[in-house]
Amino acid sequence: MRSLLRGVLPRLLCIFAFLTAGWATPALAQRTMLAQGMYPRAVQLSHNATPANNGRIVVSFTTFTGGSGIQPIYASDDNGTTFSQIGTITDPLFSRGLCCGTLYELPQTVGALSAGTLLWAGSVGGDTPAQPMQIRIYKSTDRGATWSYLSNCATGTVNRSAGGLWEPEFTIAANGALVCFYSDETIPGFSQMLQQVTSTDGIHWSAPVRTVASGLQADRPGMAVVRKLPSGRYFMTFELCGPAGCTVFYKTSPDGINWTPASSVGARVESEDGHWFLHTPTVAWAPLPGLPNGRIFLIGQIESGTTGIGSGNGNVVFYNDTADGSGKWKTMAAPAPIAGLTGTSNVCQNYSPPLLPLAGGTTLFGLTTDYDASNVCRVYFGKVPTYASSPTLALSADAIGVSLNQSASGNVTVSPNGGYLGTLKLTVSIPGFNGSASFDRDTLTFTGTAAQTAKLTLRSGTSTASASSSGGGSGFGFASLPALALVGAAPLMLLFSALRSAVGVLSLAAILALTGCGNASRGDSAGAIVSPPLPTKYTATITATDTTNAAIKSTVTTQVTLYN
């Protein structure tokens, strides 16, 4: 697995491009290309002392220029819709080989490092057989724009030719210490193990402690990713290469430091339909509404199972709503899918794709890597709602009958399907209706499967004059009367009396019909008299839209009848 990454990575990619010339990956509408690169990582800033500085998504990945690795830094200030480059991490030592970076925001002060400080760490020296490798750490105090070297959390005790140090990962332990995990293949008697060191200032580091060190010499646990759960436990996922074929396993810790016994490789992550991931896992956690444990999201490079490569290979994320990740996992769509992914691992396609929950966990942002039509490895990003399947909303609404200058109400019922969780905004539009429309509550928050009801109240104007309504009131219209109505009330009665005597009741009725008196009528733009038949019927269109993902919405129509 990682032998593909060591030192020869830039050259290997070039060779692969020539050998596979003409291959093409279908474009997927769900994802957007970011830049050329590999091994991406992402964080959303949430611990900056200035609230206005939070919310930015910062992305790092590795690329190569002039034979040397660099670390471009991109940012999005519109919740992952667009990105622009804001900085670059460079170091002359990167020319010795650069691999496997991680990105982390400090959630609290560590020594002189304030909460909100960004840390980036990577494996340096993979191309230099005669020198030891290093895990080098860099910091940024301006949200990713500029970077400076901070420290090494690990330095090899043997030359690179005898083993390397790979894939750093950070967390803050329960005691407040900064923990740096990494893969270590320099220990005699072990093909590879996971180790950890701790620091109280980010500069000085403890002696290494074994995290996962299998009793089977050929086992190669690596690529650790750690997240703290609301229970206080820490969840670690990693690949177990060697005899286990790089299957994805997990372990938990009560404090982020004690993962005992180190000889245990934990348990395999397996879905309800009998699948598991192979290679390069990452994990994320989010506090989804209505879930006391929140939700753990996990992804790997390849989906495999008892019957071979899974149908969701390259297109699926596992998730778990338990307190510690135990039990079988459910599946959902991947935010940045890969088309045509095979069961053979390579150094680009879907290699270590990070996940980042957004909007309180109701949206899952993801990065992945894939070959473009020219066989260049590029970073892509995308977003999906965090549901077990495509969420749908079922709406129903009562028909409403209302009289002129009166109010009437009806119920609007919303039923969530497909595991929908989130908040909906209700709106209504009634073209031609002269009056107001309002809900007793126009937002509905769903934390489970139960349907919810809102009351829609209509108030008619004093006529049927045309108007529109979409959740708020519109001005009431008044019927236009013909010129005869301008005559004062008393003279008008005398006139009626005289007419009645002269032509009789039937003739008077004909005159009234011709003049439009006594009818609630309106004049059109040409001054003609229009008397719409009563009752008048309108169509009300009611829409429920998710407040964080406008693609999740449903519409229903119902009849509104206006009685005179």
Side-chain angles (χ1 to χ4, degrees), residues 232-384:
R233 295 195 69 83
Y234 290 73
F235 182 95
M236 172 189 287
T237 185
F238 54 93
E239 64 176 16
L240 185 62
C241 293
C246 292
T247 298
V248 173
F249 280 70
Y250 80 95
K251 290 182 74 170
T252 64
S253 165
D255 54 13
I257 294 178
N258 296 297
W259 302 85
T260 54
S263 59
S264 170
V265 297
R268 184 176 69 185
V269 176
E270 186 173 337
S271 69
E272 290 179 337
D273 59 358
H275 290 90
W276 52 84
F277 282 118
L278 304 177
H279 305 283
T280 73
T282 69
V283 68
W285 176 86
L288 259 70
L291 299 179
N293 301 312
R295 176 167 290 175
I296 308 170
F297 302 93
L298 187 145
I299 192 171
Q301 184 180 29
I302 296 169
E303 186 195 41
S304 186
T306 54
T307 58
I309 299 304
S311 60
N313 188 33
N315 302 286
V316 69
V317 169
F318 290 4
Y319 72 90
N320 189 303
D321 297 339
T322 67
D324 57 3
S326 58
K328 302 294 186 180
W329 294 57
K330 299 180 184 296
T331 60
M332 59 173 281
I338 299 285
L341 186 65
T342 69
T344 302
S345 177
N346 62 69
V347 298
C348 177
Q349 288 182 298
N350 218 32
Y351 195 92
S352 195
L355 302 172
L356 181 64
L358 304 176
T362 59
T363 299
L364 187 63
F365 172 87
L367 293 159
T368 192
T369 46
D370 195 4
Y371 292 112
D372 66 8
S374 299
N375 300 303
V376 175
C377 191
R378 296 188 181 275
V379 178
Y380 296 83
F381 65 92
K383 292 187 285 187
V384 292

Side-chain angles (χ1 to χ4, degrees), residues 31 41 95 160 198 261 288 302 339 383 393 559:
R31 67 183 194 179
R41 288 294 182 264
S95 63
R160 163 69 186 90
T198 60
L288 259 70
I302 296 169
K383 292 187 285 187
L393 305 168
Q559 181 174 288

Side-chain angles (χ1 to χ4, degrees), residues 178-189:
L178 178 63
V179 187
C180 177
F181 303 91
Y182 59 95
S183 307
D184 189 342
E185 56 183 9
T186 69
I187 307 301

Side-chain angles (χ1 to χ4, degrees), residues 7 70 160 176 181 191 206 243 273 323-324 382 422 534 543:
I70 61 172
R160 163 69 186 90
F181 303 91
S191 179
S206 69
D273 59 358
D324 57 3
L534 294 178
T543 303

